[in-house]
């Protein structure tokens, strides 16, 4: 048993999920990898097992789509608990992204992204919460995104799903706090980096997990009504919010310029095409 | 024609949507009401028509579920434009709420709420944006909620849908700003509407107690503010106040949990 208990990682066969699993494994944890593709899972399992620190460690692979059929998701997670013991940490990394202009995106993009990114985090969380509440301990991580702190051009199908995770995390944290269960929301920039795995293993369980200096500024600026984990965090937010708001407004101004310039250029080239 | 053009109001047959429609109508607009129930629509139409300020005003009723079948939503909104002219303002009020503890809520609550509150705003917006971009003018209003600014006990199925609307609004605004199209997100508090009455039926004790820290608003008030596009500003001090509120909410939740467990163990010993 480790600090991290028996973490279950959805979306664990690649990207951020895989790196989170490796980080936990390096610290002696017994991992459950949850993803759809069995081959990818087995490949990742082999990759992870190279980092084992003792003989007893296990990587359990479960192939399931966490955004479809809640009953099935509930069952497989229960089976994992029977094999490896009760889950102490669930890391919801299952997610994907689609970008494009609002009017160009198909409606099923909006529906599918919300299903994978949001429901795909709701279902596993709903399956593990009762056990965590009984044991009065647990940790659930939601992987949002910087696009879940501010809406950006091209992300009309993606940002809502990542904003939704924040709403879920805040509401859920308020419900489970007396049960000693901690929720963490991570806001990685839109890059697939191992750096995230390093940042997210804070022992105190920060509510907001950010990457880099841009991430720091955004997390303070958008702290809104999210809970604080320490007095220092609260003080930093109170002091810096005003200045960061000004900086943020300059950023927004520059984004708007970019959008306007691109629109003007596109229209110029369209009218040039017509006159030729 | 008025400042507000030809507003289309989804969820316009009751609650905040109806009051928004009335506000616009009082200012001479030609309204399109969009909702599912035809009878309710006709009743609301009669109610609204009492407020007419000239003979030409029209209230057009469209019965459709804005969260199902995008093709159908697109068609009916286009038909409305053919009858009343191009839409200048779309007000997305269609929405509902379910409260309860996370582990007690059925999965279809999460799915249905997201469909109605989020997709039910995406579909109509997607249908009107091309025309607005062509005309280089327009306004889209999304009705979020204070529960879309902070997550509260009992709202694990509802808050995400209202947070999502904010993400949609911010991203969309960045895309359409050069086209002179303006997005507004409204964050009403608990508002006295049929939707609120529904929500209160399954409300957990903790949620009721936390809600008592702010009062219930009248829908007319909310509508007036939405239509006037009220904006509020100010931060550092409010963060301190906000943290105190959060602290008191956490106390309420802890107290209720302790009390519930006491009564459970008393039941067992009897």
């Amino acid at each position: 048993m480790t600090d991290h208990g028996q973490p279950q990682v959805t979306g664990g066969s690649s990207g951020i999920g895989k790196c989170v699993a490796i980080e936990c494994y390096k610290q002696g944890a017994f991992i459950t990898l949850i993803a759809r593709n069995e081959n990818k899972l087995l490949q990742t399992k082999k990759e992870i097992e190279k980092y084992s620190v003792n003989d007893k460690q296990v990587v359990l692979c479960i192939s399931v789509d966490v955004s479809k059929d809640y009953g099935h998701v509930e069952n497989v997670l229960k089976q994992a608990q029977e094999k490896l013991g009760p889950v102490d940490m669930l890391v919801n990394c299952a997610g994907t992204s689609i970008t494009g202009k609002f009017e160009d995106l198909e409606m099923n993009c909006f529906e599918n992204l919300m299903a994978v990114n949001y429901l795909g985090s709701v279902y596993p969380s709903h399956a593990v919460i009762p056990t965590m509440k009984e044991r009065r301990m647990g940790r659930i991580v939601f992987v949002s995104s910087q696009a879940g702190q501010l809406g950006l051009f091209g992300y009309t199908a993606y940002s809502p799903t990542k904003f939704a995770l924040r709403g879920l995390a805040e509401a859920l944290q308020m419900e489970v706090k007396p049960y000693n269960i901690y929720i963490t929301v991570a806001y990685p920039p839109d890059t697939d980096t191992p750096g995230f795995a390093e940042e997210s293993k804070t022992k105190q369980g920060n509510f907001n997990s950010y990457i880099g200096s841009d991430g720091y500024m955004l997390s303070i600026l958008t702290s809104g009504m999210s809970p604080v984990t320490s007095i220092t965090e609260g003080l930093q937010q109170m002091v810096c919010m005003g200045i960061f708001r000004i900086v943020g407004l300059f950023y927004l101004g520059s984004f708007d310029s970019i959008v306007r310039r691109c629109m003007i250029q596109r229209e110029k080239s369209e009218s040039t095409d017509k006159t030729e």
Side-chain angles (χ1 to χ4, degrees), chain A residues 16-239:
Chain A
I16 292 176
K18 180 170 85 170
C19 297
V20 167
I22 291 175
E23 270 308 306
C24 295
Y25 198 72
K26 282 185 190 169
Q27 302 190 20
F30 291 26
I31 309 283
T32 304
L33 289 180
I34 301 160
R36 287 166 301 169
N37 188 310
E38 285 205 42
N39 290 333
K40 264 189 172 181
L41 277 168
L42 291 171
Q43 261 184 316
T44 307
K45 175 178 156 121
K46 282 184 198 151
E47 211 180 313
I48 294 179
E49 280 169 341
K50 295 181 197 156
Y51 296 94
S52 75
V53 294
N54 65 55
D55 290 333
K56 296 185 186 172
Q57 278 188 288
V58 177
V59 177
L60 178 67
C61 292
I62 298 182
S63 168
V64 70
D65 185 332
V66 287
S67 65
K68 293 184 169 52
D69 192 2
Y70 173 67
H72 188 210
V73 173
E74 199 183 15
N75 281 338
V76 297
L77 291 188
K78 288 216 166 105
Q79 284 171 26
Q81 291 200 103
E82 279 158 23
K83 286 189 189 164
L84 296 191
V87 59
D88 285 339
M89 178 159 94
L90 171 68
V91 189
N92 291 293
C93 297
T96 186
S97 172
I98 299 171
T99 50
K101 286 200 291 187
F102 183 59
E103 61 267 25
D104 295 339
L105 292 168
E106 297 292 324
M107 284 301 104
N108 59 19
C109 292
F110 291 86
E111 294 153 19
N112 293 340
L113 270 189
M114 197 46 95
V116 177
N117 293 359
Y118 169 63
L119 294 178
S121 293
V122 172
Y123 291 174
S125 306
H126 198 266
V128 306
I129 272 280
T131 317
M132 288 185 175
K133 275 185 128 177
E134 257 179 57
R135 305 179 69 229
R136 292 284 204 272
M137 64 187 288
R139 186 167 305 223
I140 298 183
V141 181
F142 294 102
V143 180
S144 174
S145 166
Q146 282 184 357
Q149 293 173 306
L150 79 150
L152 292 166
F153 191 110
Y155 287 97
T156 47
Y158 179 73
S159 279
T161 71
K162 294 303 189 177
F163 268 75
L165 286 179
R166 176 181 171 160
L168 173 65
E170 283 189 14
L172 188 56
Q173 177 70 93
M174 201 178 282
E175 289 188 23
V176 301
K177 200 163 178 178
Y179 294 88
N180 226 28
I181 301 168
Y182 294 105
I183 311 293
T184 299
V185 193
Y187 298 96
D190 255 345
T191 29
D192 198 344
T193 98
F196 168 75
E198 267 299 319
E199 301 278 287
S200 63
K201 65 173 165 73
T202 46
K203 290 182 181 170
Q204 291 158 309
N206 287 338
F207 185 79
N208 290 315
S209 174
Y210 58 84
I211 318 302
S213 54
D214 275 353
Y216 176 71
M217 189 191 83
L218 265 181
S219 81
I220 289 194
L221 188 51
T222 63
S223 54
M225 276 296 278
S226 63
V228 283
T229 326
S230 67
I231 298 179
T232 335
E233 195 185 336
L235 281 173
Q236 282 177 20
Q237 287 164 357
M238 289 183 292
V239 170

